[in-house]
Amino acid sequence: MSEKKEKISAIKGMNDILPADAPLWELFENTAESVLKSYGYQKIVTPIVEETGLFARAIGAVTDIVEKEMYSFTDAMNGDLLTLRPEGTAGVVRAVVEHNMAYDGPKRLWYKGPMFRHERPQRGRYRQFFQFGAEAIGFSGPDIDAELIMLCRRLWDDIGLDEIRLELNSIGNADERQRHRADLIAYFEANIDVLDAEAKRRLHANPLRILDTKNPAMQDLVNAAPQLLSYLGEESLAHFEGLKKILDAANVQYTVNPRLVRGLDYYNRTVFEWVTDALGAQGTVCAGGRYDPLIETFGGKPTPGIGFAMGIERLIELMKAQGEPAAPGQCDVYMVHQGDEARMKAFILAERIRDAGLDVVLHCATPAGAGSFKSQMKKADASGAAFAVIIGEDEVAKDEVAVKSLRAAQGENAQQATVAFGAAVDYLVDQIVGGGGEHDCGPDCDDHHHVHRP
Ligand code: ATP
Ligand code: MG
C-alpha cells in the first residue's frame, strides 16, 4: 500500500478559474474583444517576464508597485534580474519602441493577461490577477482620451453593468505639478502631526501620492490640500475642457475628482477611473491616464500615449453581483452507447456531427466501467445537451440511432425519434439549427463548416 500523499495547494493570492466561472470570463473577454475591435484596436501580446529595470523606468521607483509589490528574481542560469510583469503598459511601450511601431503613424493597441503583484490578498485584490488594457500611441488631442472612455462605457453597456461611475481629473504637466508640489509639501509640513508614517516617508519623494491615501484619519487633511487643477496652465486646461466637451456631447456622465492622481513623473493631463460601490473597498474596476513623456524615456522619438487597464476579477464579481444569467450547457448532443460495435459507430457519428458544426460529448468509460444505459442518460441530462443520441444493440442491428430530446417536457410525450444512421447528422442539424443549417452568412464569413444558430 502506498502512503497517501500530502496535497499541494495553489500559491496564496493566486486563483484557479474553475469551469463553473469560465463561461462568465469568456463572456467578458469576448465582449471586450469585440468592443475593442469595433474601435479599431489591434491585439498585442508581450512576454510575462521582463527585465526588472523596465518596470522601475516605466512605473516609477517611488510607487507601491516598484517599492514593494514586484515578483522579482534572479535567473539562475545567467544572473539576469527579471520580474513577472505587474502591469501591461511597460511591456507594450517597450515593444512599440523596440519594433519602431509608431513610425508609420499612430497605433491603437490592446492586450490581456495575468499580472503579478505581491499584495495582501483580500476580496478584489490578488497576487495573480488579470487585466484587459488598451494603449493609444501617437495621438495628442482630447478626442482619443474621450474615445478610450467611451469604449469602456460601451463595454459596460454591452455586458449590462450599470453600477459603474466615471471619475475624471487632469494632472497637468511636469512644470505645473512642480509648482503644485512645492505648495503641497509646505501644506503637509505645516500639518505634519496629522500625517501617518507612510505619508511622512512620501512627503519629499512623492507627495502627490499622499492625496491617494486610504487612511480615514487623513481624509480632512487631503480634502483641504492645494488642488492640482488650480495650477494648470492654458494648454493643459484647454485639453481638459476639450475632453469634457466631447464627453458632455456624447452624454457620458462623470464627476471631476481633484484628488484623483497618478503619482508618476511621466503621467500627465487626463487621468480617469471607473468605480463601483457594489464591491466594497476594492471598487476601482478600470484606471487610465495619459503618459505623453513616457516613450521618450524609452529612447523613442517623443510620441504621446494614453491607456487604461481594467481588473477582470473585479468586473466578474460585479457581473455576479448583478445576477449575470447562468451559462448555457456545455454541448448540443450527448452520445449514449452500449456495446463494442455501438461504441465504434458512436465515435464515427460524433465526428460527423462535429463536422457539421455542432458540439458533441461522447460518453467515455471511467474506472467504474462504461456505465449502464440509465447512468449514461443521467449524464446526458446533466450535460445541458439539447439531444441524446442513443446507439444500443437494436440500433446497430437496424443501422439506426435513437434521438431523444432532453429539453422537451418530461413524461409520456418526451420526444424520441428513430432515424437512419446515415440521416442522423441532417436530422440533428435540422432540429438544433433549423432550416438545414446552410445559412447565407454574407461575404464576411469564411467559415463554410460551421452552422449558424438562430
Ligand atoms: P489599487 O489602488 O486598487 O491598488 P492600482 O492603482 O494599483 O489599484 P492599477 O495599477 O491602476 O491599480 O491597475 C488597474 C486595475 O487593475 C485596477 O483598477 C484594478 O481593477 C485592477 N487591479 C490592480 N491591482 C489588482 C490586484 N492586486 N488584484 C486584482 N485586481 C487588481
Ligand atoms: Mg495597487
Side-chain angles (χ1 to χ4, degrees), residues 64-65 69 117 119 125 129 209 214 314:
D64 282 349
I65 294 179
E69 295 176 358
R117 296 184 195 176
E119 303 199 66
R125 193 176 289 289
F129 61 98
R209 202 73 201 178
K214 281 152 192 154
R314 294 182 191 181

Side-chain angles (χ1 to χ4, degrees), residues 139-148 150 239 242-243 246 290:
F139 302 94
S140 52
D143 41 4
I144 197 79
D145 307 24
E147 175 179 290
L148 284 164
M150 286 160 67
H239 188 99
L243 169 59
I246 301 172
R290 192 166 262 287

Side-chain angles (χ1 to χ4, degrees), residues 215-335:
N215 182 351
M218 288 173 54
Q219 294 308 310
D220 287 346
L221 182 71
V222 292
N223 279 333
Q227 292 190 353
L228 185 41
L229 265 182
S230 44
Y231 291 73
L232 298 195
E234 224 171 279
E235 279 183 33
S236 293
L237 276 177
H239 188 99
F240 195 40
E241 290 307 315
L243 169 59
K244 289 193 283 185
K245 214 165 143 188
I246 301 172
L247 295 179
D248 290 337
N251 204 17
V252 179
Q253 314 288 318
Y254 58 84
T255 48
V256 173
N257 174 359
R259 283 183 43 200
L260 190 62
V261 294
R262 316 246 102 188
L264 317 186
D265 292 346
Y266 13 74
Y267 278 77
N268 70 325
R269 294 190 174 168
T270 309
V271 291
F272 62 91
E273 279 189 4
W274 291 94
V275 187
T276 178
D277 296 320
L279 294 179
Q282 265 56 254
T284 304
V285 293
C286 175
R290 192 166 262 287
Y291 47 81
D292 295 337
L294 182 60
I295 297 200
E296 228 182 322
T297 72
F298 276 82
K301 274 195 305 202
T303 310
I306 176 169
F308 67 70
M310 43 184 75
I312 307 185
E313 283 82 358
R314 294 182 191 181
L315 286 158
I316 299 285
E317 273 267 308
L318 195 57
M319 286 163 83
K320 285 184 183 170
Q322 299 199 353
E324 192 57 39
Q330 87 192 81
C331 62
D332 300 309
V333 174
Y334 193 98
M335 303 279 298

